[in-house]
């Protein structure tokens, strides 16, 4: 089985920064992509940023320039550096990964980490 464990959330003032990390562990044969979604109360889950094992990145348009996603060389940890945080960034941030474990590619999710930005 595969597990994703997030860390790095918390409370920060508007304009501040946070760095989220997500570690994938378990029976991992290959990683397709890893990324971060977020879900605010009463809103749908949305993609924030994603990175493939080859280093290709995708960002939510409004986060380009403020957020930066990266992956370690082992392709098991994904980080999200968030700068110039705004109150509207407040949400639960969830790590997502497309991983080959056994013979199937599957999507895995972490439990989520709360990010609260005070204005």
């Amino acid at each position: 089985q595969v597990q994703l464990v997030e860390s790095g959330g918390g409370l920060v003032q508007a304009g501040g920064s946070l760095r989220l990390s997500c570690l994938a562990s378990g029976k991992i044969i290959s990683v397709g992509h890893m990324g971060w979604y977020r879900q605010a109360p009463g809103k749908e889950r949305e993609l924030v940023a994603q990175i493939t094992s080859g280093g290709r990145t995708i960002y939510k348009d409004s986060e380009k320039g403020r957020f930066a996603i990266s992956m370690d060389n082992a392709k098991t940890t994904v980080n999200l550096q968030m700068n110039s945080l705004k109150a509207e960034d407040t949400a639960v941030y969830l790590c997502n990964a497309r991983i080959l474990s056994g013979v199937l590619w599957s999507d895995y999710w972490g439990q989520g980490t709360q990010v609260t930005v005070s204005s």
Side-chain angles (χ1 to χ4, degrees), residues 8-63:
L11 174 65
V12 65
Q13 289 189 331
S17 299
L18 280 176
R19 182 179 175 86
L20 306 182
S21 293
C22 173
L23 172 65
S25 62
K27 187 179 179 183
I28 299 171
I29 297 172
S30 185
V31 174
H33 61 248
M34 297 184 75
W36 291 91
Y37 285 70
R38 67 186 179 192
Q39 188 162 20
K43 295 188 177 181
E44 291 188 355
R45 187 174 296 185
E46 62 180 4
L47 175 67
V48 176
Q50 185 181 83
I51 184 168
T52 69
S53 58
R56 184 177 176 184
T57 58
I58 299 173
Y59 291 94
K60 184 177 187 298
D61 282 346
S62 59
E63 313 315 341

Side-chain angles (χ1 to χ4, degrees), residues 4-10 20-22 36-39 45 91-96 108-115:
L4 303 181
V5 178
E6 301 111 331
S7 61
L20 306 182
S21 293
C22 173
W36 291 91
Y37 285 70
R38 67 186 179 192
Q39 188 162 20
R45 187 174 296 185
V92 175
Y93 284 69
L94 301 109
C95 180
N96 166 262
Y108 295 89
W109 292 90
Q111 292 295 313
T113 185
Q114 178 69 46
V115 171

